Amino acid sequence: MLSGVLFRRGGGNTGTTEVRPEFANQFLVTDVAAFARGSRFVRRPLLPSIAMLLNPCTTVLAFVLSMLRTMLLVLLSRLPASPWPLRKISVANTAVLYHDGRALATCASGPPLRVALPSLETIGWFNGRAAENEPERGGDTRAGFGGSGAVSFMRSWTTAHLRVNPITDELITFHPVSIKPYVQNSIVPPAKSSAPAPFNLAVPGVASPKIMHDFGVSHGHTVIMDLPLGLGPFNFARGAPVVSYDAAAKARFGVFPRHRPQDVRWLETNPSTTAVNLPVPTAAPAPPEYPEDEQCRLYYYRFVLPRAAAGAAGSTEKKEPPAPPGIAQQWVLSAIAFEFPTMSPLHHTRWPTRANVYGCSTKWIPYSIALGKPAKIDVLAKIDTKTLIARGRANPPQTAKGCVDARTVPEILTAPSADEDDGWLLTYVFDESQLDAHGRCPDGNVVISSELWIIDARSIHHVVARVRLPQRVPYGFHGAWFGERDIAAQRPFDRIGRAASCVFVSITYYGQLTYFCLVSPSLNRDTVSGN
């Protein structure tokens, strides 16, 4: 499900400062949803749940029967009497992004799904070259993500988070699968570029199937994570669930030039699990050898590659001995729990001159590193990574466990905040006092609703506007801001959209109690006021 708030310029005059918010909400028309809705016999979810894959009590028989049921339903869906063919099993419920005229909803079990802005209608699956129901699709018969062949269905699966290089406008993604090669890299150039699209290039050095939810990008390199969080049915042989964490294994970072995954360099560190990261710092829990610090925090890693370690060839200037190749420094930037980090897209190319990272935290209850456990967010945090990195490099903390800023959330809340950014944080908020004593929606005609808060990013203490929505927006994963230029620049498709100004969209995943936030520099400060 997608929920969005459109900020439409009032009076039809693009020069006016009046803004009228409009709420939009749509179920995504995935193959899984369409098949389940049209079938009279499917009463349980088509796919095995993440809880089943994580549960150590799940038996081999239960897992095999669940997978056989899924495969049988996929085969039956191809019969003429089927309500909808199951071509893709993605539910497109994790994140949303914009690239080269397309808004895309993503999930790790399939390719991205294109949606229309601002109506949020489903357009079709995106294969790296074109989306279904796009006029130009008929003239391009080349294979996209996954190529062709018996395993192309699986090879088309992308990571849950795709990255867009803000300089070259390239879309970067990975394809982690359960067959060799276990990880492949794809890059989608923008339409204005004449560069070829390198699809499904193998990344050497990964020895087993891995969960790669996210990855990092810099101006010229890509960083992927080979973590001891494995995925495979053969885990049953050693008494572990399908998705399991191996505390005895090392965590590895693979760093390679953007277009040369074959030149990857693997750098090892203590075991950890990482689900989200940014262009430079990454959010990751402390190593499990420190059980009292099993926490999701914002980490700093400094990689030294062989070329940089060797120094400039032919230079006669006296310099300090270069650091050996590897991870030169790694420590925690802040002691607080920190998840769902985000930066203003305008600042990705200005690192480290503008280095505030925004994210979610909690006052009292820490995050758990175990997957599947919900955490309710009650704090939005802004971390000045430029200052903390400089402080840590000048006086390095203990490797891995050490922390630059050891203050707690209550201590930070009472401290004065720096006035550095000029933009806005947008997030959905729900007041749970509207629920009954059992945490359920009340019966009858009682209407409960969420709000969209617009928060001043300069201090993040001031809520400058609250948009009361006509219904509750379920707790979701991630959101995105699409400006009026993005909406106007959408590629044509075979459905009629409506003119719009800008829209804030979030994606909802039922069963997870999480919030998200993002930075928007696009709204004019004079237009954001009122409650």
Side-chain angles (χ1 to χ4, degrees), residues 206-473:
V206 182
S208 62
K210 300 289 183 178
I211 295 179
M212 291 188 176
H213 179 79
D214 202 350
F215 61 97
V217 296
S218 68
H219 288 181
H221 287 75
T222 300
V223 182
I224 66 173
M225 295 162 287
D226 180 10
L227 306 171
L229 188 65
L231 170 66
F234 297 108
N235 290 343
F236 285 119
R238 56 186 181 89
V242 177
V243 177
S244 62
Y245 174 76
D246 185 2
K250 288 287 186 178
R252 302 192 307 159
F253 293 92
V255 185
F256 60 86
R258 176 84 71 248
H259 293 268
R260 299 199 306 274
Q262 68 274 16
D263 295 337
V264 63
R265 297 284 302 190
W266 291 102
L267 309 175
E268 290 189 351
T269 184
N270 293 324
S272 63
T273 57
T274 306
V276 186
N277 67 44
L278 290 165
V280 176
T282 63
E289 62 202 59
Y290 308 109
E292 71 277 9
D293 284 336
E294 288 184 351
Q295 185 56 267
C296 189
R297 290 171 171 152
L298 191 66
Y299 263 62
Y300 168 75
Y301 294 91
R302 185 165 72 91
F303 302 141
V304 177
L305 302 181
R307 182 181 301 176
S315 175
T316 58
E317 182 181 353
K318 291 184 178 180
K319 298 181 180 180
E320 296 182 2
I327 301 177
Q329 291 177 312
Q330 53 176 319
W331 16 263
V332 186
L333 291 178
S334 175
I336 67 172
F338 196 78
E339 250 286 25
F340 302 105
T342 186
M343 295 173 61
S344 169
L346 296 181
H347 296 165
H348 282 177
T349 59
R350 303 177 187 175
W351 186 276
T353 58
R354 300 294 296 273
N356 289 323
V357 176
Y358 298 83
C360 301
S361 188
T362 61
K363 285 183 181 178
W364 315 112
I365 303 175
Y367 293 120
S368 169
I369 65 169
L371 291 175
K373 291 186 178 180
K376 293 186 180 180
I377 309 304
D378 55 6
V379 173
L380 298 181
K382 177 173 72 171
I383 296 182
D384 181 0
T385 57
K386 179 183 177 181
T387 299
L388 293 182
I389 290 173
R391 189 188 304 172
R393 296 188 67 171
N395 186 22
Q398 178 184 352
T399 298
K401 183 182 178 181
C403 183
V404 179
D405 186 350
R407 293 179 298 168
T408 64
V409 170
E411 290 172 338
I412 294 174
L413 290 175
T414 58
S417 60
D419 186 3
E420 299 164 343
D421 289 339
D422 188 10
W424 313 97
L425 294 173
L426 282 76
T427 184
Y428 290 125
V429 177
F430 177 69
D431 182 0
E432 292 190 344
S433 67
Q434 300 176 78
L435 303 177
D436 62 21
H438 303 286
R440 302 191 183 103
C441 298
D443 298 329
N445 298 321
V446 179
V447 178
I448 62 175
S449 63
S450 299
E451 294 181 346
L452 174 67
W453 285 12
I454 303 176
I455 303 168
D456 192 338
R458 293 179 299 185
S459 67
I460 72 171
H461 289 300
H462 184 207
V463 180
V464 298
R466 303 183 184 191
V467 180
R468 186 172 180 83
L469 305 178
Q471 65 185 56
R472 179 185 179 184
V473 176

Side-chain angles (χ1 to χ4, degrees), residues 98-258:
Y98 186 91
H99 175 254
D100 198 29
R102 298 182 180 94
L104 304 172
T106 65
C107 181
S109 58
L113 183 67
R114 186 185 171 189
V115 298
L117 299 175
S119 65
L120 307 184
E121 292 177 292
T122 300
I123 297 176
W125 298 107
F126 175 62
N127 71 352
R129 300 192 187 276
E132 297 170 332
N133 299 317
E134 290 182 356
E136 62 265 34
R137 181 178 173 84
D140 189 352
T141 59
R142 294 176 297 171
F145 293 149
S148 58
V151 297
S152 60
F153 165 77
M154 184 180 298
R155 293 287 185 201
S156 67
W157 298 3
T158 67
T159 49
H161 294 276
L162 291 75
R163 298 296 176 189
V164 177
N165 186 321
I167 298 177
T168 64
D169 200 28
E170 294 172 314
L171 179 68
I172 307 160
T173 187
F174 283 86
H175 311 277
V177 295
S178 299
I179 54 178
K180 291 183 177 182
Y182 296 113
V183 179
Q184 295 182 327
N185 176 224
S186 291
I187 298 177
V188 181
K192 62 184 179 182
S193 173
S194 59
F199 286 171
N200 294 89
L201 300 181
V203 181
V206 182
S208 62
K210 300 289 183 178
I211 295 179
M212 291 188 176
H213 179 79
D214 202 350
F215 61 97
V217 296
S218 68
H219 288 181
H221 287 75
T222 300
V223 182
I224 66 173
M225 295 162 287
D226 180 10
L227 306 171
L229 188 65
L231 170 66
F234 297 108
N235 290 343
F236 285 119
R238 56 186 181 89
V242 177
V243 177
S244 62
Y245 174 76
D246 185 2
K250 288 287 186 178
R252 302 192 307 159
F253 293 92
V255 185
F256 60 86
R258 176 84 71 248

Side-chain angles (χ1 to χ4, degrees), residues 475-487:
Y475 297 137
F477 268 167
H478 300 277
W481 170 265
F482 302 105
E484 59 184 345
R485 289 184 179 179
D486 296 332
I487 297 176

